[in-house]
Amino acid sequence: MANKTEKAEAFVTEITPQSEDFSRWYLDVVRRAELADYSPVKGCMVIRPYGYAIWELIQQELDRRFKATGHVNAYFPLFIPESLLNREAEHVEGFAPQVAWVTRGGTEDLDEKLAIRPTSEAIIGTMYAKWIQSWRDLPVLINQWANVVRWEKVTRPFLRTTEFLWQEGHTAHETEPEAEEETLRILGIYKECCESALALPVVDGRKSESEKFAGASRTYSIEALMGDGRALQAGTSHNLGQNFAKAFGIQFQARDKSLQFAWTTSWGVSTRLIGGVIMTHGDDSGLVLPPRVAPYQVVIVPIPRGNWQETVLPRARELRDRLVGAGVRVMLDDRDAYTPGWKYAEWELRGVPVRLELGPKDIEKHAVLAARRDTREKQSLPLDGIEARVGHLLDDVQQSLLARAAAFREERTTRAHDYAEFVRLMEGRPGFVIAPWCGSAACEAAIKTETQATLRNLPLGSPAPEGPCVKCGRPAEGEAWFAKAY
Ligand SMILES: [Zn+2]
């Protein structure tokens, strides 16, 4: 038994402690929890079943919200003819360094190169130009779940890969205020979904001109803070104005019979959110998953005493069936080849929110021992009404993870009153530093060069700036949130 316990411990210590090397820790968790693996294609990852199950749950959460707000799903081609991609000048300039091209089909060179979509504004805009004729055709509210390719030099699983999965919404509207309303509605959905499903507190705000999407009028983002004090852009929503409508000829006859260009938006979140969940909640034992996106919310480990397969196992199966019946995602780990200690370490590593240990003594007491992954607290739960008790426990874990992440962000958010203080606060990886900013790209660029911090966004509903621009001393345009970011 001692030998087996030692093995279980050695197994867990395969993960580098966060305090030693956060980046190493992250890669260890991704690999050991079997979320993703490197592939023979440089910069591309394989999302393994456990990682993909998390993505499916995130998809469901978002898809439900998109549909509830009138959006529908469709699918557009992977390839974009070069001439289409080139239509919006800023857009093509922004993406050019990252576009992968197909130049041959079979044995023949193509007359026109085909881009592998880095994003789909060009192909979708072209189709919208065909479909939209009159104000009666508006709004068009389409989303697609797809893969995109952006050639990356430095990659990291989930956070930055050459091919990644995402959703991209593309909408067209009759008026500018409607497009702005849509852009902000989606930003609100992203924020609410991140906070309630992923337990990721995010700052929602407007990007600076230099950080906005290539071709957009305005870009908004949600920004999360990771466990190492770096920020992660977790989603973006763009008001494209009439830029893309003009480039792709999306015109409609208005109510007054005049010919007008449509107002369009686009918005997306990606598998990057999985990276955000790992780095926000994980600890030195591995992954910690919020129940709402956990492939298994509960793992049941039967304690093998005596003829446990006749005594304990049937009760464990009964417990599983009751919980499954109540809509809980359950794994009953009845494998004979592993000890309970090994199983505890394994499921902790994989971030299962609640573990239920069931042995002969628990059965005698008509109870089960519950252990939470987040706090490691253990309590005996009566089997009477276990469905509701487990439901409450999962809700509590979900709420606690959000509260813990929000408290962490609070602790790691400071305010700089002058530039010397800003520079001093930005040493290491402090989290967010709030400072007044004049709106100039020059100040933003100088701050980036001198401190490595980027302007994450200007939060919606921020109070008036407390003083002049932290960099140049001219009047400030707003309160900007800066951080070193992924
Ligand atoms: Zn300035």
Side-chain angles (χ1 to χ4, degrees):
M1 195 65 203
N3 192 27
K4 278 170 181 165
T5 308
E6 277 164 27
K7 266 188 200 158
E9 281 163 8
F11 182 85
V12 171
T13 54
E14 281 179 41
I15 298 176
T16 307
Q18 286 187 341
S19 55
E20 194 181 308
D21 184 343
F22 193 87
S23 164
R24 194 69 246 164
W25 167 85
Y26 176 78
L27 295 174
D28 287 349
V29 170
V30 167
R31 180 179 52 85
R32 285 289 297 107
E34 297 183 358
L35 300 175
D37 203 350
Y38 297 103
S39 79
V41 186
K42 193 175 172 294
C44 293
M45 66 171 172
V46 174
I47 305 176
R48 300 186 68 179
Y50 196 61
Y52 199 78
I54 298 172
W55 178 236
E56 286 180 315
L57 290 162
I58 295 173
Q59 277 189 306
Q60 285 163 24
E61 292 282 351
L62 285 165
D63 205 61
R64 182 159 52 76
R65 288 167 172 84
F66 296 154
K67 285 172 179 159
T69 45
H71 302 85
V72 288
N73 288 331
Y75 188 78
F76 295 84
L78 171 69
F79 302 120
I80 301 175
E82 184 177 24
S83 56
L84 286 187
L85 196 64
N86 288 345
R87 281 225 198 135
E88 214 292 330
E90 255 185 59
H91 185 62
V92 70
E93 194 189 316
F95 280 100
Q98 291 186 298
V99 176
W101 294 96
V102 175
T103 58
R104 277 173 80 83
T107 55
E108 284 172 31
D109 288 334
L110 302 181
D111 292 336
E112 183 178 7
K113 286 198 290 182
L114 297 173
I116 300 176
R117 62 181 165 216
T119 176
S120 300
E121 278 74 9
I123 192 86
I124 294 179
T126 304
M127 300 314 295
Y128 282 8
K130 282 171 72 173
W131 298 342
I132 297 165
Q133 306 298 332
S134 150
W135 63 271
R136 293 179 193 84
D137 300 326
L138 296 170
V140 174
L141 307 171
I142 292 180
N143 175 61
Q144 87 165 343
W145 290 97
N147 58 342
V148 286
V149 168
R150 295 178 188 174
W151 219 254
E152 298 284 358
K153 291 193 177 73
V154 181
T155 58
R156 203 189 304 234
F158 297 114
L159 299 177
R160 195 174 295 281
T161 50
T162 296
E163 180 190 9
F164 60 91
L165 303 184
W166 76 346
Q167 60 71 217
E168 48 179 321
H170 295 266
T171 69
H173 306 265
E174 204 180 334
T175 66
E176 185 177 24
E178 281 171 38
E180 180 70 4
E181 190 188 336
E182 167 76 5
T183 310
L184 290 172
R185 176 185 299 118
I186 295 298
L187 192 74
I189 287 175
Y190 286 163
K191 179 177 164 72
E192 188 276 321
C193 186
C194 278
E195 296 187 342
S196 71
L198 309 183
L200 291 188
V202 293
V203 183
D204 53 336
R206 183 170 58 81
K207 283 287 194 190
S208 65
E209 281 297 300
S210 55
E211 296 274 342
K212 79 179 186 191
F213 179 73
S217 293
R218 269 188 296 285
T219 286
Y220 297 92
S221 73
I222 49 168
E223 305 281 336
L225 190 64
M226 302 296 100
D228 64 346
R230 286 165 87 179
L232 183 79
Q233 179 177 293
T236 48
S237 185
H238 317 291
N239 183 336
L240 303 175
Q242 291 179 312
N243 304 339
F244 284 83
K246 285 177 179 165
F248 295 97
I250 311 172
Q251 280 183 295
F252 66 97
Q253 193 178 53
R255 290 167 203 257
D256 65 3
K257 309 278 190 238
S258 66
L259 198 57
Q260 300 289 337
F261 286 105
W263 301 85
T264 67
T265 81
S266 69
W267 28 276
V269 298
S270 72
T271 36
R272 188 167 234 233
L273 287 174
I274 298 174
V277 167
I278 300 168
M279 292 193 294
T280 299
H281 304 302
D283 62 20
D284 284 348
S285 302
L287 205 55
V288 178
L289 289 173
R292 286 181 64 179
V293 293
Y296 303 121
Q297 296 169 309
V298 169
V299 58
I300 301 172
V301 179
I303 308 301
R305 294 272 192 287
N307 57 341
W308 70 283
Q309 278 162 324
E310 281 80 53
T311 54
V312 179
L313 191 55
R315 306 304 292 275
R317 287 188 180 132
E318 202 180 293
L319 176 59
R320 175 194 59 195
D321 294 346
R322 281 176 66 183
L323 292 174
V324 168
V328 181
R329 295 187 288 274
V330 185
M331 154 62 75
L332 168 58
D333 191 351
D334 57 2
R335 291 176 291 178
D336 210 2
Y338 299 97
T339 63
W342 189 94
K343 291 176 183 177
Y344 299 165
E346 169 72 5
W347 294 112
E348 277 187 9
L349 168 69
R350 295 183 139 217
V352 176
V354 170
R355 178 175 77 233
L356 298 178
E357 303 167 18
L358 188 69
K361 281 183 186 157
D362 305 294
I363 293 170
E364 245 170 61
K365 286 189 291 182
H366 205 61
V368 64
L369 191 66
R372 295 168 63 131
R373 173 64 180 88
D374 60 337
T375 59
R376 297 209 152 78
E377 284 163 353
K378 287 189 176 192
Q379 55 176 315
S380 181
L381 296 179
L383 284 169
D384 284 336
I386 190 68
E387 297 91 336
R389 292 176 204 280
V390 166
H392 289 142
L393 192 53
L394 290 170
D395 286 346
D396 197 54
V397 172
Q398 184 80 35
Q399 295 312 319
S400 302
L401 286 177
L402 177 62
R404 189 167 84 178
F408 176 81
R409 184 184 75 187
E410 187 74 20
E411 262 167 44
R412 301 291 199 100
T413 302
T414 47
R415 181 176 288 279
H417 301 89
D418 57 54
Y419 195 58
E421 189 183 13
F422 185 92
V423 172
R424 187 173 53 73
L425 288 172
M426 260 313 163
E427 281 166 17
R429 283 177 191 151
F432 289 115
V433 177
I434 306 172
W437 172 62
C438 63
S440 103
C443 284
E444 189 184 354
I447 288 172
K448 189 174 174 180
T449 310
E450 289 162 18
T451 68
Q452 294 165 11
T454 47
L455 197 166
R456 302 320 304 160
N457 69 27
L458 295 130
L460 301 178
S462 277
E466 283 184 9
C469 175
V470 74
K471 180 65 183 149
C472 70
R474 285 179 294 178
E477 182 185 88
E479 294 273 284
W481 286 45
F482 293 87
K484 291 175 188 168
Y486 278 94

